PDB file of all heavy atoms in Angstrom:
ATOM      1  N   ARG A 220      -0.801  -5.145 -12.018  1.00  0.00           N
ATOM      2  CA  ARG A 220      -0.753  -5.126 -13.513  1.00  0.00           C
ATOM      3  C   ARG A 220       0.690  -5.269 -13.973  1.00  0.00           C
ATOM      4  O   ARG A 220       0.976  -6.020 -14.900  1.00  0.00           O
ATOM      5  CB  ARG A 220      -1.412  -3.840 -14.072  1.00  0.00           C
ATOM      6  CG  ARG A 220      -2.892  -3.891 -13.950  1.00  0.00           C
ATOM      7  CD  ARG A 220      -3.494  -2.661 -14.643  1.00  0.00           C
ATOM      8  NE  ARG A 220      -4.959  -2.631 -14.374  1.00  0.00           N
ATOM      9  CZ  ARG A 220      -5.556  -1.516 -14.096  1.00  0.00           C
ATOM     10  NH1 ARG A 220      -4.956  -0.354 -14.053  1.00  0.00           N
ATOM     11  NH2 ARG A 220      -6.890  -1.559 -13.896  1.00  0.00           N
ATOM     12  N   LEU A 221       1.589  -4.444 -13.387  1.00  0.00           N
ATOM     13  CA  LEU A 221       2.967  -4.536 -13.829  1.00  0.00           C
ATOM     14  C   LEU A 221       3.605  -5.870 -13.605  1.00  0.00           C
ATOM     15  O   LEU A 221       4.292  -6.459 -14.411  1.00  0.00           O
ATOM     16  CB  LEU A 221       3.755  -3.449 -13.085  1.00  0.00           C
ATOM     17  CG  LEU A 221       3.582  -1.998 -13.530  1.00  0.00           C
ATOM     18  CD1 LEU A 221       4.351  -1.073 -12.632  1.00  0.00           C
ATOM     19  CD2 LEU A 221       4.041  -1.820 -14.998  1.00  0.00           C
ATOM     20  N   VAL A 222       3.327  -6.424 -12.409  1.00  0.00           N
ATOM     21  CA  VAL A 222       3.878  -7.714 -12.056  1.00  0.00           C
ATOM     22  C   VAL A 222       3.306  -8.784 -12.940  1.00  0.00           C
ATOM     23  O   VAL A 222       4.031  -9.683 -13.447  1.00  0.00           O
ATOM     24  CB  VAL A 222       3.563  -8.043 -10.564  1.00  0.00           C
ATOM     25  CG1 VAL A 222       3.858  -9.487 -10.244  1.00  0.00           C
ATOM     26  CG2 VAL A 222       4.418  -7.101  -9.657  1.00  0.00           C
ATOM     27  N   GLU A 223       2.047  -8.745 -13.192  1.00  0.00           N
ATOM     28  CA  GLU A 223       1.390  -9.755 -14.039  1.00  0.00           C
ATOM     29  C   GLU A 223       1.982  -9.783 -15.476  1.00  0.00           C
ATOM     30  O   GLU A 223       2.198 -10.837 -16.093  1.00  0.00           O
ATOM     31  CB  GLU A 223      -0.120  -9.469 -14.135  1.00  0.00           C
ATOM     32  CG  GLU A 223      -0.916 -10.541 -14.858  1.00  0.00           C
ATOM     33  CD  GLU A 223      -2.382 -10.220 -14.789  1.00  0.00           C
ATOM     34  OE1 GLU A 223      -2.825  -9.508 -13.950  1.00  0.00           O
ATOM     35  OE2 GLU A 223      -3.099 -10.894 -15.635  1.00  0.00           O
ATOM     36  N   ASP A 224       2.225  -8.548 -16.009  1.00  0.00           N
ATOM     37  CA  ASP A 224       2.793  -8.443 -17.352  1.00  0.00           C
ATOM     38  C   ASP A 224       4.227  -8.956 -17.453  1.00  0.00           C
ATOM     39  O   ASP A 224       4.588  -9.427 -18.549  1.00  0.00           O
ATOM     40  CB  ASP A 224       2.777  -6.994 -17.820  1.00  0.00           C
ATOM     41  CG  ASP A 224       1.298  -6.523 -18.050  1.00  0.00           C
ATOM     42  OD1 ASP A 224       0.412  -7.393 -18.121  1.00  0.00           O
ATOM     43  OD2 ASP A 224       1.123  -5.312 -18.138  1.00  0.00           O
ATOM     44  N   LYS A 225       4.980  -8.838 -16.431  1.00  0.00           N
ATOM     45  CA  LYS A 225       6.449  -8.989 -16.573  1.00  0.00           C
ATOM     46  C   LYS A 225       7.060 -10.202 -15.857  1.00  0.00           C
ATOM     47  O   LYS A 225       8.272 -10.435 -15.964  1.00  0.00           O
ATOM     48  CB  LYS A 225       7.174  -7.728 -16.058  1.00  0.00           C
ATOM     49  CG  LYS A 225       6.734  -6.483 -16.710  1.00  0.00           C
ATOM     50  CD  LYS A 225       7.203  -6.446 -18.157  1.00  0.00           C
ATOM     51  CE  LYS A 225       6.691  -5.175 -18.779  1.00  0.00           C
ATOM     52  NZ  LYS A 225       7.004  -5.124 -20.203  1.00  0.00           N
ATOM     53  N   THR A 226       6.317 -10.952 -15.090  1.00  0.00           N
ATOM     54  CA  THR A 226       6.953 -12.006 -14.299  1.00  0.00           C
ATOM     55  C   THR A 226       6.555 -13.494 -14.727  1.00  0.00           C
ATOM     56  O   THR A 226       5.432 -13.660 -15.246  1.00  0.00           O
ATOM     57  CB  THR A 226       6.616 -11.888 -12.838  1.00  0.00           C
ATOM     58  OG1 THR A 226       5.200 -11.938 -12.669  1.00  0.00           O
ATOM     59  CG2 THR A 226       7.118 -10.587 -12.279  1.00  0.00           C
ATOM     60  N   PRO A 227       7.462 -14.385 -14.471  1.00  0.00           N
ATOM     61  CA  PRO A 227       7.105 -15.792 -14.670  1.00  0.00           C
ATOM     62  C   PRO A 227       6.019 -16.263 -13.732  1.00  0.00           C
ATOM     63  O   PRO A 227       5.799 -15.649 -12.702  1.00  0.00           O
ATOM     64  CB  PRO A 227       8.386 -16.564 -14.478  1.00  0.00           C
ATOM     65  CG  PRO A 227       9.472 -15.515 -14.177  1.00  0.00           C
ATOM     66  CD  PRO A 227       8.786 -14.227 -14.030  1.00  0.00           C
ATOM     67  N   ASP A 228       5.353 -17.359 -14.078  1.00  0.00           N
ATOM     68  CA  ASP A 228       4.188 -17.847 -13.356  1.00  0.00           C
ATOM     69  C   ASP A 228       4.458 -18.095 -11.894  1.00  0.00           C
ATOM     70  O   ASP A 228       3.683 -17.696 -11.046  1.00  0.00           O
ATOM     71  CB  ASP A 228       3.640 -19.095 -13.962  1.00  0.00           C
ATOM     72  CG  ASP A 228       2.895 -18.772 -15.297  1.00  0.00           C
ATOM     73  OD1 ASP A 228       2.543 -17.596 -15.467  1.00  0.00           O
ATOM     74  OD2 ASP A 228       2.774 -19.665 -16.139  1.00  0.00           O
ATOM     75  N   PRO A 229       5.550 -18.775 -11.429  1.00  0.00           N
ATOM     76  CA  PRO A 229       5.740 -19.070 -10.028  1.00  0.00           C
ATOM     77  C   PRO A 229       5.911 -17.775  -9.225  1.00  0.00           C
ATOM     78  O   PRO A 229       5.361 -17.609  -8.137  1.00  0.00           O
ATOM     79  CB  PRO A 229       7.085 -19.846  -9.956  1.00  0.00           C
ATOM     80  CG  PRO A 229       7.253 -20.413 -11.331  1.00  0.00           C
ATOM     81  CD  PRO A 229       6.608 -19.468 -12.290  1.00  0.00           C
ATOM     82  N   ILE A 230       6.634 -16.804  -9.731  1.00  0.00           N
ATOM     83  CA  ILE A 230       6.760 -15.532  -9.015  1.00  0.00           C
ATOM     84  C   ILE A 230       5.474 -14.721  -9.057  1.00  0.00           C
ATOM     85  O   ILE A 230       5.105 -14.116  -8.077  1.00  0.00           O
ATOM     86  CB  ILE A 230       7.952 -14.699  -9.665  1.00  0.00           C
ATOM     87  CG1 ILE A 230       9.227 -15.481  -9.468  1.00  0.00           C
ATOM     88  CG2 ILE A 230       8.009 -13.327  -9.037  1.00  0.00           C
ATOM     89  CD1 ILE A 230      10.430 -14.856 -10.162  1.00  0.00           C
ATOM     90  N   LEU A 231       4.785 -14.822 -10.187  1.00  0.00           N
ATOM     91  CA  LEU A 231       3.514 -14.126 -10.383  1.00  0.00           C
ATOM     92  C   LEU A 231       2.468 -14.603  -9.284  1.00  0.00           C
ATOM     93  O   LEU A 231       1.812 -13.746  -8.665  1.00  0.00           O
ATOM     94  CB  LEU A 231       2.938 -14.415 -11.703  1.00  0.00           C
ATOM     95  CG  LEU A 231       1.611 -13.750 -12.050  1.00  0.00           C
ATOM     96  CD1 LEU A 231       1.692 -12.244 -11.950  1.00  0.00           C
ATOM     97  CD2 LEU A 231       1.099 -14.171 -13.387  1.00  0.00           C
ATOM     98  N   ALA A 232       2.499 -15.818  -8.991  1.00  0.00           N
ATOM     99  CA  ALA A 232       1.457 -16.355  -7.955  1.00  0.00           C
ATOM    100  C   ALA A 232       1.727 -15.714  -6.616  1.00  0.00           C
ATOM    101  O   ALA A 232       0.793 -15.212  -5.917  1.00  0.00           O
ATOM    102  CB  ALA A 232       1.554 -17.846  -7.822  1.00  0.00           C
ATOM    103  N   GLY A 233       2.983 -15.575  -6.171  1.00  0.00           N
ATOM    104  CA  GLY A 233       3.272 -14.978  -4.896  1.00  0.00           C
ATOM    105  C   GLY A 233       2.994 -13.502  -4.894  1.00  0.00           C
ATOM    106  O   GLY A 233       2.563 -12.978  -3.908  1.00  0.00           O
ATOM    107  N   ALA A 234       3.309 -12.845  -5.979  1.00  0.00           N
ATOM    108  CA  ALA A 234       3.078 -11.398  -6.077  1.00  0.00           C
ATOM    109  C   ALA A 234       1.607 -11.116  -6.111  1.00  0.00           C
ATOM    110  O   ALA A 234       1.159 -10.112  -5.439  1.00  0.00           O
ATOM    111  CB  ALA A 234       3.763 -10.865  -7.336  1.00  0.00           C
ATOM    112  N   VAL A 235       0.771 -11.951  -6.738  1.00  0.00           N
ATOM    113  CA  VAL A 235      -0.655 -11.733  -6.705  1.00  0.00           C
ATOM    114  C   VAL A 235      -1.217 -11.920  -5.368  1.00  0.00           C
ATOM    115  O   VAL A 235      -2.059 -11.115  -4.887  1.00  0.00           O
ATOM    116  CB  VAL A 235      -1.302 -12.705  -7.749  1.00  0.00           C
ATOM    117  CG1 VAL A 235      -2.833 -12.680  -7.554  1.00  0.00           C
ATOM    118  CG2 VAL A 235      -0.956 -12.302  -9.143  1.00  0.00           C
TER     119      VAL A 235
END
Side-chain angles (χ1 to χ4, degrees):
R220 286 185 188 139
L221 286 174
V222 168
E223 187 176 340
D224 291 345
K225 304 292 180 185
T226 57
D228 289 339
I230 295 172
L231 179 63
V235 168

